[in-house]
Amino acid sequence: TIGHIPNGNRYYYRGRSQPPYFVLMTELLGQTEKYRKELAMEYQFWMKKRSVVLDDGTVLNRYFDDLNTRPRPEAFREDTETARCAQTTDIYAHLRAAAESGWDFSSRWMDKENDLSTLRTADILPIDLNCLLYHLEVILGKTDEAERRRQAIHQYMWSDDLKFFTDYNCVRKERTNRLTLAGLYPLWLHVATVEQAQNAAGQVEKLFLSDGGLVTTTSKESTQQWDRPNGWAPMEYIGYRALLQTPGYENLARTVRQRWMTLNERVYKSTGKMMEKYDVVDIHKPAGGGEYETQDGFGWTNGVYLQMLYDQQNEI
C-alpha cells in the first residue's frame, strides 16, 4: 500500500496524491466509520510527506511530488520547454506540485501571473488544502490538531487588508495575496469566523461575480486555465455553498447558482454537451487556456448542475 489516493491511474502517478477530499466522499455516503482506518492512513501520508514546520513551530501542509526531479511523463515536452525558461533548477518540483493540487495551472502559484516558468507551488502552503486537512482532523477526532490548524490559518492566511483568505509562501514568509476561489474553503468548511466570512463574501460580490458565475481568480494577465475568465463546476459549487452558509449572503449564493446553471443550459442547448469549464465573463465565448483543449461531457459539471437543480427545486 502507498497510503494515499494517487493523482491518476497510471503507475507514474504514484508520487502524487489526490487532494484529501476522501473524507467528504465518505460523509456523503454516510460511511465515515467504515473507512476510518483508510482516513487515518491518508492523514498520516499528508503529515509525514507534505508537512512544513514554520519558525514558531506551527505545522501546515503543502502540495509536492515524491518524484520531483524530472518532467511529468504525461507532459514531458511541455515541462521540458517550461524548464528551459525557468530561472531555478527545481522547476519540476513546482510543476508536479501544481499537478497534485489539481490547479494545473494557475497564477496563484506563479511569481509572474503570465509566466509559467515562475511557478513556486512547492513553496506555498495552500489555503484550500489546509482547510481540507482541518476537516479531516475534526472527523478523526484530532481536536487539538484541528484547533491549532484553525488558529494557524487565521494567523498566516487571513488578510485584514484584502478581507480575504490567501495562500502563504513559507520560503518568503509572506502571504501571496492572490485572490482566488480557494479563499472560500474556510467559509465552506467552517474555519472562518462570521465576520471573516461576511467580509470575504462581500469581496466575492465585488471581484468574482460575473455573468456566468464566479471567476476562478481575479488575475487579468494569466492565460492559464485555472484563472479568470474561466469557471469550474467544483469551485462554483464550493463558492455557492460557502455563500449560502454566510449570514446575509444567501441571495448572492442563489444568484451564483442561477447564473452558472443558465450558462450550462445555454451551452448544452447549442452544443449538446456539458463542458469541463466555461468562460463566465464572456458567456458567448468557449473557455480556453492551459495545456489542452477544453474537454466535454465532464462528470463534475453534470453532478454540480444536478445538485444545484435539486437545491433550486427544494427552495434551498
Side-chain angles (χ1 to χ4, degrees), residues 119-135:
L119 277 174
R120 302 308 301 166
T121 323
D123 296 345
I124 291 171
L125 308 179
I127 180 62
D128 44 358
L129 171 61
N130 281 281
C131 287
L132 288 167
L133 289 171
Y134 165 83
H135 186 69

mmCIF file with all atom_site columns, all heavy atoms in Angstrom, residues 119-135:
data_model
loop_
_atom_site.group_PDB
_atom_site.id
_atom_site.type_symbol
_atom_site.label_atom_id
_atom_site.label_alt_id
_atom_site.label_comp_id
_atom_site.label_asym_id
_atom_site.label_entity_id
_atom_site.label_seq_id
_atom_site.pdbx_PDB_ins_code
_atom_site.Cartn_x
_atom_site.Cartn_y
_atom_site.Cartn_z
_atom_site.occupancy
_atom_site.B_iso_or_equiv
_atom_site.pdbx_formal_charge
_atom_site.auth_seq_id
_atom_site.auth_comp_id
_atom_site.auth_asym_id
_atom_site.auth_atom_id
_atom_site.pdbx_PDB_model_num
ATOM 1   N N   . LEU A 1 119 ? 6.626   29.386 -11.604 1.00 0.00 ? 119 LEU A N   1
ATOM 2   C CA  . LEU A 1 119 ? 5.891   28.605 -10.605 1.00 0.00 ? 119 LEU A CA  1
ATOM 3   C C   . LEU A 1 119 ? 6.709   28.418 -9.339  1.00 0.00 ? 119 LEU A C   1
ATOM 4   O O   . LEU A 1 119 ? 7.896   28.100 -9.394  1.00 0.00 ? 119 LEU A O   1
ATOM 5   C CB  . LEU A 1 119 ? 5.564   27.218 -11.154 1.00 0.00 ? 119 LEU A CB  1
ATOM 6   C CG  . LEU A 1 119 ? 4.350   27.010 -12.053 1.00 0.00 ? 119 LEU A CG  1
ATOM 7   C CD1 . LEU A 1 119 ? 4.358   25.580 -12.553 1.00 0.00 ? 119 LEU A CD1 1
ATOM 8   C CD2 . LEU A 1 119 ? 3.066   27.288 -11.305 1.00 0.00 ? 119 LEU A CD2 1
ATOM 9   N N   . ARG A 1 120 ? 6.035   28.555 -8.157  1.00 0.00 ? 120 ARG A N   1
ATOM 10  C CA  . ARG A 1 120 ? 6.689   28.288 -6.866  1.00 0.00 ? 120 ARG A CA  1
ATOM 11  C C   . ARG A 1 120 ? 5.765   27.437 -5.992  1.00 0.00 ? 120 ARG A C   1
ATOM 12  O O   . ARG A 1 120 ? 5.727   27.582 -4.765  1.00 0.00 ? 120 ARG A O   1
ATOM 13  C CB  . ARG A 1 120 ? 7.023   29.607 -6.145  1.00 0.00 ? 120 ARG A CB  1
ATOM 14  C CG  . ARG A 1 120 ? 7.898   30.569 -6.883  1.00 0.00 ? 120 ARG A CG  1
ATOM 15  C CD  . ARG A 1 120 ? 9.188   29.971 -7.400  1.00 0.00 ? 120 ARG A CD  1
ATOM 16  N NE  . ARG A 1 120 ? 10.014  29.408 -6.333  1.00 0.00 ? 120 ARG A NE  1
ATOM 17  C CZ  . ARG A 1 120 ? 11.049  28.603 -6.545  1.00 0.00 ? 120 ARG A CZ  1
ATOM 18  N NH1 . ARG A 1 120 ? 11.362  28.229 -7.774  1.00 0.00 ? 120 ARG A NH1 1
ATOM 19  N NH2 . ARG A 1 120 ? 11.754  28.153 -5.530  1.00 0.00 ? 120 ARG A NH2 1
ATOM 20  N N   . THR A 1 121 ? 5.033   26.530 -6.586  1.00 0.00 ? 121 THR A N   1
ATOM 21  C CA  . THR A 1 121 ? 3.976   25.789 -5.877  1.00 0.00 ? 121 THR A CA  1
ATOM 22  C C   . THR A 1 121 ? 4.468   25.115 -4.608  1.00 0.00 ? 121 THR A C   1
ATOM 23  O O   . THR A 1 121 ? 3.781   25.145 -3.577  1.00 0.00 ? 121 THR A O   1
ATOM 24  C CB  . THR A 1 121 ? 3.360   24.719 -6.804  1.00 0.00 ? 121 THR A CB  1
ATOM 25  O OG1 . THR A 1 121 ? 3.284   25.224 -8.128  1.00 0.00 ? 121 THR A OG1 1
ATOM 26  C CG2 . THR A 1 121 ? 1.991   24.310 -6.306  1.00 0.00 ? 121 THR A CG2 1
ATOM 27  N N   . ALA A 1 122 ? 5.613   24.473 -4.669  1.00 0.00 ? 122 ALA A N   1
ATOM 28  C CA  . ALA A 1 122 ? 6.107   23.714 -3.516  1.00 0.00 ? 122 ALA A CA  1
ATOM 29  C C   . ALA A 1 122 ? 6.518   24.611 -2.356  1.00 0.00 ? 122 ALA A C   1
ATOM 30  O O   . ALA A 1 122 ? 6.707   24.127 -1.227  1.00 0.00 ? 122 ALA A O   1
ATOM 31  C CB  . ALA A 1 122 ? 7.279   22.823 -3.933  1.00 0.00 ? 122 ALA A CB  1
ATOM 32  N N   . ASP A 1 123 ? 6.650   25.911 -2.592  1.00 0.00 ? 123 ASP A N   1
ATOM 33  C CA  . ASP A 1 123 ? 6.966   26.873 -1.521  1.00 0.00 ? 123 ASP A CA  1
ATOM 34  C C   . ASP A 1 123 ? 5.703   27.389 -0.830  1.00 0.00 ? 123 ASP A C   1
ATOM 35  O O   . ASP A 1 123 ? 5.799   28.103 0.165   1.00 0.00 ? 123 ASP A O   1
ATOM 36  C CB  . ASP A 1 123 ? 7.712   28.087 -2.088  1.00 0.00 ? 123 ASP A CB  1
ATOM 37  C CG  . ASP A 1 123 ? 9.073   27.728 -2.667  1.00 0.00 ? 123 ASP A CG  1
ATOM 38  O OD1 . ASP A 1 123 ? 9.567   26.621 -2.398  1.00 0.00 ? 123 ASP A OD1 1
ATOM 39  O OD2 . ASP A 1 123 ? 9.627   28.568 -3.413  1.00 0.00 ? 123 ASP A OD2 1
ATOM 40  N N   . ILE A 1 124 ? 4.544   27.041 -1.388  1.00 0.00 ? 124 ILE A N   1
ATOM 41  C CA  . ILE A 1 124 ? 3.288   27.661 -0.966  1.00 0.00 ? 124 ILE A CA  1
ATOM 42  C C   . ILE A 1 124 ? 2.462   26.706 -0.107  1.00 0.00 ? 124 ILE A C   1
ATOM 43  O O   . ILE A 1 124 ? 2.317   25.526 -0.439  1.00 0.00 ? 124 ILE A O   1
ATOM 44  C CB  . ILE A 1 124 ? 2.491   28.117 -2.204  1.00 0.00 ? 124 ILE A CB  1
ATOM 45  C CG1 . ILE A 1 124 ? 3.217   29.298 -2.866  1.00 0.00 ? 124 ILE A CG1 1
ATOM 46  C CG2 . ILE A 1 124 ? 1.066   28.491 -1.829  1.00 0.00 ? 124 ILE A CG2 1
ATOM 47  C CD1 . ILE A 1 124 ? 2.652   29.699 -4.208  1.00 0.00 ? 124 ILE A CD1 1
ATOM 48  N N   . LEU A 1 125 ? 1.929   27.226 0.985   1.00 0.00 ? 125 LEU A N   1
ATOM 49  C CA  . LEU A 1 125 ? 1.005   26.487 1.839   1.00 0.00 ? 125 LEU A CA  1
ATOM 50  C C   . LEU A 1 125 ? -0.401  26.904 1.420   1.00 0.00 ? 125 LEU A C   1
ATOM 51  O O   . LEU A 1 125 ? -0.831  28.026 1.703   1.00 0.00 ? 125 LEU A O   1
ATOM 52  C CB  . LEU A 1 125 ? 1.256   26.826 3.316   1.00 0.00 ? 125 LEU A CB  1
ATOM 53  C CG  . LEU A 1 125 ? 2.703   26.672 3.788   1.00 0.00 ? 125 LEU A CG  1
ATOM 54  C CD1 . LEU A 1 125 ? 2.831   27.053 5.257   1.00 0.00 ? 125 LEU A CD1 1
ATOM 55  C CD2 . LEU A 1 125 ? 3.216   25.260 3.550   1.00 0.00 ? 125 LEU A CD2 1
ATOM 56  N N   . PRO A 1 126 ? -1.133  26.034 0.718   1.00 0.00 ? 126 PRO A N   1
ATOM 57  C CA  . PRO A 1 126 ? -2.410  26.436 0.128   1.00 0.00 ? 126 PRO A CA  1
ATOM 58  C C   . PRO A 1 126 ? -3.540  26.499 1.152   1.00 0.00 ? 126 PRO A C   1
ATOM 59  O O   . PRO A 1 126 ? -3.679  25.621 2.009   1.00 0.00 ? 126 PRO A O   1
ATOM 60  C CB  . PRO A 1 126 ? -2.682  25.335 -0.909  1.00 0.00 ? 126 PRO A CB  1
ATOM 61  C CG  . PRO A 1 126 ? -1.374  24.608 -1.074  1.00 0.00 ? 126 PRO A CG  1
ATOM 62  C CD  . PRO A 1 126 ? -0.700  24.706 0.261   1.00 0.00 ? 126 PRO A CD  1
ATOM 63  N N   . ILE A 1 127 ? -4.373  27.501 1.024   1.00 0.00 ? 127 ILE A N   1
ATOM 64  C CA  . ILE A 1 127 ? -5.495  27.681 1.936   1.00 0.00 ? 127 ILE A CA  1
ATOM 65  C C   . ILE A 1 127 ? -6.489  26.538 1.823   1.00 0.00 ? 127 ILE A C   1
ATOM 66  O O   . ILE A 1 127 ? -6.994  26.041 2.834   1.00 0.00 ? 127 ILE A O   1
ATOM 67  C CB  . ILE A 1 127 ? -6.177  29.051 1.685   1.00 0.00 ? 127 ILE A CB  1
ATOM 68  C CG1 . ILE A 1 127 ? -7.355  29.263 2.620   1.00 0.00 ? 127 ILE A CG1 1
ATOM 69  C CG2 . ILE A 1 127 ? -6.600  29.231 0.247   1.00 0.00 ? 127 ILE A CG2 1
ATOM 70  C CD1 . ILE A 1 127 ? -7.014  29.288 4.090   1.00 0.00 ? 127 ILE A CD1 1
ATOM 71  N N   . ASP A 1 128 ? -6.779  26.075 0.593   1.00 0.00 ? 128 ASP A N   1
ATOM 72  C CA  . ASP A 1 128 ? -7.778  25.017 0.423   1.00 0.00 ? 128 ASP A CA  1
ATOM 73  C C   . ASP A 1 128 ? -7.306  23.686 0.997   1.00 0.00 ? 128 ASP A C   1
ATOM 74  O O   . ASP A 1 128 ? -8.048  22.997 1.699   1.00 0.00 ? 128 ASP A O   1
ATOM 75  C CB  . ASP A 1 128 ? -8.191  24.868 -1.045  1.00 0.00 ? 128 ASP A CB  1
ATOM 76  C CG  . ASP A 1 128 ? -7.033  24.910 -2.022  1.00 0.00 ? 128 ASP A CG  1
ATOM 77  O OD1 . ASP A 1 128 ? -5.874  25.089 -1.599  1.00 0.00 ? 128 ASP A OD1 1
ATOM 78  O OD2 . ASP A 1 128 ? -7.282  24.771 -3.241  1.00 0.00 ? 128 ASP A OD2 1
ATOM 79  N N   . LEU A 1 129 ? -6.058  23.324 0.735   1.00 0.00 ? 129 LEU A N   1
ATOM 80  C CA  . LEU A 1 129 ? -5.511  22.077 1.269   1.00 0.00 ? 129 LEU A CA  1
ATOM 81  C C   . LEU A 1 129 ? -5.568  22.060 2.792   1.00 0.00 ? 129 LEU A C   1
ATOM 82  O O   . LEU A 1 129 ? -5.971  21.056 3.406   1.00 0.00 ? 129 LEU A O   1
ATOM 83  C CB  . LEU A 1 129 ? -4.062  21.899 0.802   1.00 0.00 ? 129 LEU A CB  1
ATOM 84  C CG  . LEU A 1 129 ? -3.289  20.752 1.452   1.00 0.00 ? 129 LEU A CG  1
ATOM 85  C CD1 . LEU A 1 129 ? -3.941  19.404 1.163   1.00 0.00 ? 129 LEU A CD1 1
ATOM 86  C CD2 . LEU A 1 129 ? -1.829  20.758 0.991   1.00 0.00 ? 129 LEU A CD2 1
ATOM 87  N N   . ASN A 1 130 ? -5.190  23.160 3.420   1.00 0.00 ? 130 ASN A N   1
ATOM 88  C CA  . ASN A 1 130 ? -5.148  23.177 4.881   1.00 0.00 ? 130 ASN A CA  1
ATOM 89  C C   . ASN A 1 130 ? -6.541  23.180 5.502   1.00 0.00 ? 130 ASN A C   1
ATOM 90  O O   . ASN A 1 130 ? -6.726  22.646 6.596   1.00 0.00 ? 130 ASN A O   1
ATOM 91  C CB  . ASN A 1 130 ? -4.287  24.347 5.363   1.00 0.00 ? 130 ASN A CB  1
ATOM 92  C CG  . ASN A 1 130 ? -2.808  24.015 5.246   1.00 0.00 ? 130 ASN A CG  1
ATOM 93  O OD1 . ASN A 1 130 ? -2.253  23.305 6.084   1.00 0.00 ? 130 ASN A OD1 1
ATOM 94  N ND2 . ASN A 1 130 ? -2.176  24.470 4.168   1.00 0.00 ? 130 ASN A ND2 1
ATOM 95  N N   . CYS A 1 131 ? -7.512  23.725 4.793   1.00 0.00 ? 131 CYS A N   1
ATOM 96  C CA  . CYS A 1 131 ? -8.894  23.620 5.275   1.00 0.00 ? 131 CYS A CA  1
ATOM 97  C C   . CYS A 1 131 ? -9.418  22.185 5.142   1.00 0.00 ? 131 CYS A C   1
ATOM 98  O O   . CYS A 1 131 ? -10.129 21.690 6.026   1.00 0.00 ? 131 CYS A O   1
ATOM 99  C CB  . CYS A 1 131 ? -9.790  24.579 4.514   1.00 0.00 ? 131 CYS A CB  1
ATOM 100 S SG  . CYS A 1 131 ? -9.540  26.309 4.964   1.00 0.00 ? 131 CYS A SG  1
ATOM 101 N N   . LEU A 1 132 ? -9.064  21.509 4.056   1.00 0.00 ? 132 LEU A N   1
ATOM 102 C CA  . LEU A 1 132 ? -9.458  20.106 3.897   1.00 0.00 ? 132 LEU A CA  1
ATOM 103 C C   . LEU A 1 132 ? -8.850  19.245 5.006   1.00 0.00 ? 132 LEU A C   1
ATOM 104 O O   . LEU A 1 132 ? -9.515  18.360 5.563   1.00 0.00 ? 132 LEU A O   1
ATOM 105 C CB  . LEU A 1 132 ? -9.010  19.585 2.532   1.00 0.00 ? 132 LEU A CB  1
ATOM 106 C CG  . LEU A 1 132 ? -9.793  20.116 1.333   1.00 0.00 ? 132 LEU A CG  1
ATOM 107 C CD1 . LEU A 1 132 ? -9.066  19.774 0.030   1.00 0.00 ? 132 LEU A CD1 1
ATOM 108 C CD2 . LEU A 1 132 ? -11.210 19.558 1.306   1.00 0.00 ? 132 LEU A CD2 1
ATOM 109 N N   . LEU A 1 133 ? -7.591  19.513 5.349   1.00 0.00 ? 133 LEU A N   1
ATOM 110 C CA  . LEU A 1 133 ? -6.946  18.740 6.412   1.00 0.00 ? 133 LEU A CA  1
ATOM 111 C C   . LEU A 1 133 ? -7.518  19.102 7.785   1.00 0.00 ? 133 LEU A C   1
ATOM 112 O O   . LEU A 1 133 ? -7.596  18.243 8.671   1.00 0.00 ? 133 LEU A O   1
ATOM 113 C CB  . LEU A 1 133 ? -5.434  18.952 6.367   1.00 0.00 ? 133 LEU A CB  1
ATOM 114 C CG  . LEU A 1 133 ? -4.759  18.282 5.167   1.00 0.00 ? 133 LEU A CG  1
ATOM 115 C CD1 . LEU A 1 133 ? -3.297  18.715 5.051   1.00 0.00 ? 133 LEU A CD1 1
ATOM 116 C CD2 . LEU A 1 133 ? -4.842  16.756 5.270   1.00 0.00 ? 133 LEU A CD2 1
ATOM 117 N N   . TYR A 1 134 ? -7.922  20.350 7.967   1.00 0.00 ? 134 TYR A N   1
ATOM 118 C CA  . TYR A 1 134 ? -8.638  20.718 9.201   1.00 0.00 ? 134 TYR A CA  1
ATOM 119 C C   . TYR A 1 134 ? -9.902  19.874 9.335   1.00 0.00 ? 134 TYR A C   1
ATOM 120 O O   . TYR A 1 134 ? -10.180 19.320 10.404  1.00 0.00 ? 134 TYR A O   1
ATOM 121 C CB  . TYR A 1 134 ? -8.992  22.206 9.168   1.00 0.00 ? 134 TYR A CB  1
ATOM 122 C CG  . TYR A 1 134 ? -10.016 22.612 10.203  1.00 0.00 ? 134 TYR A CG  1
ATOM 123 C CD1 . TYR A 1 134 ? -9.642  22.882 11.513  1.00 0.00 ? 134 TYR A CD1 1
ATOM 124 C CD2 . TYR A 1 134 ? -11.379 22.701 9.867   1.00 0.00 ? 134 TYR A CD2 1
ATOM 125 C CE1 . TYR A 1 134 ? -10.598 23.236 12.475  1.00 0.00 ? 134 TYR A CE1 1
ATOM 126 C CE2 . TYR A 1 134 ? -12.325 23.053 10.811  1.00 0.00 ? 134 TYR A CE2 1
ATOM 127 C CZ  . TYR A 1 134 ? -11.924 23.315 12.115  1.00 0.00 ? 134 TYR A CZ  1
ATOM 128 O OH  . TYR A 1 134 ? -12.868 23.652 13.055  1.00 0.00 ? 134 TYR A OH  1
ATOM 129 N N   . HIS A 1 135 ? -10.647 19.765 8.261   1.00 0.00 ? 135 HIS A N   1
ATOM 130 C CA  . HIS A 1 135 ? -11.890 18.994 8.308   1.00 0.00 ? 135 HIS A CA  1
ATOM 131 C C   . HIS A 1 135 ? -11.601 17.519 8.590   1.00 0.00 ? 135 HIS A C   1
ATOM 132 O O   . HIS A 1 135 ? -12.324 16.885 9.366   1.00 0.00 ? 135 HIS A O   1
ATOM 133 C CB  . HIS A 1 135 ? -12.641 19.145 6.989   1.00 0.00 ? 135 HIS A CB  1
ATOM 134 C CG  . HIS A 1 135 ? -13.985 18.497 6.998   1.00 0.00 ? 135 HIS A CG  1
ATOM 135 N ND1 . HIS A 1 135 ? -15.038 18.975 7.745   1.00 0.00 ? 135 HIS A ND1 1
ATOM 136 C CD2 . HIS A 1 135 ? -14.452 17.372 6.385   1.00 0.00 ? 135 HIS A CD2 1
ATOM 137 C CE1 . HIS A 1 135 ? -16.098 18.200 7.574   1.00 0.00 ? 135 HIS A CE1 1
ATOM 138 N NE2 . HIS A 1 135 ? -15.766 17.217 6.761   1.00 0.00 ? 135 HIS A NE2 1
#
